[in-house]
Amino acid sequence: MIFEKIKSFLNWSYPEAIQSPYYWYVFALFLALVVTLWVLSKMKTELLPVFKDEEGVVQITPHALHELVKKTCEDMAGIYSPNTGIKKRGSAIRLDVQLRIQTDCNVQETRLELKRRLEEVMIKKLNFDNFDGVDILIKGFQTKK
């Protein structure tokens, strides 16, 4: 009985199929499966490699990297609301830091200081062997608090 329905289902023409509720049930099930797989792939935490030696691999989560950049920026005067994006090109990792700065801030000096501090933390302290640098995007200006 079921096999006969499956055989008849396979022989349907397109107009017959879209008029059948079975077609829509299968389509809804397929769509739910695709959405579920997409959500699960977005929830997966991708680990970023820091370095590798003979004793093993050291990795960091993107959240920890965001927190590291935020804490580095907190110590600097004139920088507010840092937000970090992570770019991976091959094995190289590059940071996109979006921030707000004070209106009277010297942008070039601030950029150099932030870059210096982040490179010190990433390369000297964490031993990133694949760190490619920092790009800074000013997303607004802040008056002094």
Side-chain angles (χ1 to χ4, degrees), residues 75-86:
D75 296 340
M76 293 183 62
I79 294 182
Y80 304 97
S81 307
N83 192 7
T84 310
I86 302 167

Side-chain angles (χ1 to χ4, degrees), residues 93-117:
I93 295 173
R94 189 164 187 85
L95 297 178
D96 283 336
V97 180
Q98 299 176 9
L99 45 85
R100 299 175 63 87
I101 60 171
Q102 283 183 354
T103 52
D104 62 345
C105 181
N106 184 330
V107 176
Q108 189 170 10
E109 288 178 13
T110 303
R111 178 183 65 91
L112 289 173
E113 179 64 19
L114 179 59
K115 183 179 175 185
R116 184 192 64 75
R117 285 187 184 192

Side-chain angles (χ1 to χ4, degrees), residues 36-66:
T36 302
L37 290 174
W38 180 76
V39 168
L40 288 175
S41 72
K42 289 295 180 182
M43 290 175 56
K44 183 180 117 180
T45 302
E46 184 177 341
L47 299 175
L48 303 169
V50 176
F51 67 88
K52 181 186 213 179
D53 61 10
E54 57 277 346
E55 293 182 20
V57 177
V58 176
Q59 298 175 327
I60 190 169
T61 64
H63 178 73
L65 201 52
H66 295 298

